[in-house]
Amino acid sequence: MSAPPPPPPPPPPEEPVAVAVVGNDKVLAAAQHIVKSLATSKNAADDMIRILSGFDHRLSSITADLFPSPSPSHSLSPSDADTSEPEALSMAAFDAAEQLIHLWDTTPEALVFDAPDDAAAADYLAAVDVAVDHLAAGSLAATSGRAGVAVQLAMARLEDELRHLMLRHSVPLDASGLYCSLRRLSLESMDDLDASSEFDPTTPHSQEGAPDTARSASLVGNPFDDQLFDLVRPDAVDELRAIAERMGRAGYESELMQVYCGIRRDLLDECLVVLGVERLSIDEVQRVEWKQLNDKMKKWVHGVKTVVRSLLTGERRLCDQVLAVSDELRDECFVESTKVCIMQILNFGDAVAVCPRSPEKVSRILDMYEALAEVIPELKELFFGTPGDDVICDLEGVLGRLGDAVKGNLLEFGKVLQQESSRRPMIAGEIHPITRYVMNYLRLLVVYSDTLDKLLDDAAAGDLDHNASHGGADEDEDYLESLTPLGRRLVKLMSYLEANLEEKSKLYDDGALQCIFSMNNTLYIVQKVKDSELGRVLGEHWTRRRRGKIRQNSKSYLRISWTKVLSYLKDDGYGSGGGSSLGNLSSRVKEKFKNFNMAFDEIYRSQTLWKVPDPQLREELKISISENVIPAYRAFLGRYGSLVDNGRNSGKYIKYTAEDLENQLSDLFEGSLGSANHSRRRL
């Protein structure tokens, strides 16, 4: 029986294998391998350990012992060094840069510019420079491919770093301060003219002095107009510029532009929200009620100045600082990042320009026009070069449409004046609400005289017809030619008003009350012209003609009201011996006194209720009446009073002394029933 086979020999000892590492050990093992491959000197090892351990405590266990000391046997001979050292050093630098870029790519949650070590960002940027230069140099195909990968990884990280830095270091607007400022401006602005009020005298626009406050409110300075904001904290600008320069040199301008413009565009949009400049479509603006639209227009006026002088000026400065790598890129990025902001402003201006015409919008549209015209020169300095040409063209287009809206609304105002046909007369003949409304409106317009003179040139003011049937035809052609475009428009609008008032005066059956109504309204117009810039625009010629009309109306009033009364005080030659008996003469005198008393009492009852608001005009009318009535009454009473006084019931005929009449006349035109208790003394 054969012997059993020997047992199989034990397997040869296996070669030692690397134990698979997982989790934390894998990170440590990879870092140790990288550090070993990068080791060239003891100082380099120390630097790398410091950088890595700053990002992850797991890497702090790496020690410098892992780095082999340079061996003399590895030293190059002098001849080798002469031929290989530049290329060797270049490859060594690229290898180190590549490894550092790849290392950071393995820790995507970490950020280079947030590293606790101040040198981390500089080291990484230096590595990017090496990789970009190596790729641009067109080295060996193998290393060029590696360089392309390294650059691609680096650019992806720099995009993230740029985005993070811009968001973290952006400086928000002081929303509370801006809101307080805008609220104050809103409270100080006047309530606006409202054509739908039908010239209601109780509306703010019909009250004295209202238009004078309007322009002062619009001129209130926005405390943010001239404040230049640092839109990004200054200490971050250098880091942003360093990133932008690397991305630009690497040919990643489009990616740089996309990141930069996207972030800045969103932040500027938030600023507009703070300023109250809303994103509204034309349809939405059309549906907004006037009170709300008026508030939005006021915010737009102050918002556009703040946007241009603070935000866009600051944005241009930031763009110039960060994107200095390329003038073309800088200009394109500025236009692109501000485009939405500018378009939001322009869209609202366009929407307002095409809103239905109504007179109350003129002053607010003029504010918008002036605000935009004021900042366009500043915008031209910001949006220079070809990329900004379209922006400036759009701005000037909206400006032109706002100007057209002003002219269109003024034409509409003229039509309102011509077509207004209320049939309700002012009972006391006082100033009509339409007169207050129009004059306050015109006083508001004249404050914009410089702007309106530019808009209302002769060609644009083609609706002016110097041969019109009312007002304009009364003016001398030479006088009209001497006026500014605004002056001619004002003359025309006032002629519409005067024609309207003339028609309204015909609503009174009493011709004397027609005269009082005309005097009151004409004097009010003259005073409003004299006490404002209207006087300068229209000149003394215009005012002098209206004062002449007041004098004519005063004479007409005296003739219509008092001619019949005075006819009863005429001396018809009773004492010339016409054969009349004393009794017959007495009877005729009594009839004269009776008729005078009846006529005077009728005037007193009605004209004490009439109203002449201006104290000087009221007093002048009373003096004129007294000068005509009192001497005639005193003379008639002195000559024939004795024929009545001796008879029975003489008080029935001689009701007043001359002094009584003076007292009675003092009650006229006060707008209330006069006293019935004046002393009446029989002679």
Side-chain angles (χ1 to χ4, degrees), residues 269 271-281 284-285 288 292-293 295-297 299-300 340-341 343-349:
D269 188 57
C271 291
L272 287 183
V273 173
V274 172
L275 290 169
V277 180
E278 302 178 49
R279 181 181 288 109
L280 297 171
S281 68
E284 289 172 324
V285 172
V288 174
Q292 295 176 321
L293 180 59
D295 185 61
K296 295 180 188 299
M297 292 167 77
K299 287 183 178 179
W300 186 94
V340 173
C341 174
M343 291 309 299
Q344 187 169 332
I345 290 173
L346 296 185
N347 287 343
F348 183 79

Side-chain angles (χ1 to χ4, degrees), residues 88-105:
L89 289 176
S90 176
M91 286 302 302
F94 171 71
D95 288 342
E98 180 187 36
Q99 295 294 346
L100 182 58
I101 290 171
H102 279 279
L103 174 62
W104 277 103
D105 190 56

Side-chain angles (χ1 to χ4, degrees), residues 121-140:
D123 291 342
Y124 189 83
L125 292 175
V128 173
D129 288 337
V130 170
V132 170
D133 291 343
H134 194 80
L135 181 63
S139 302
L140 295 176

Side-chain angles (χ1 to χ4, degrees), residues 348-359:
F348 183 79
D350 256 338
V352 168
V354 299
C355 277
R357 296 176 178 178
S358 57

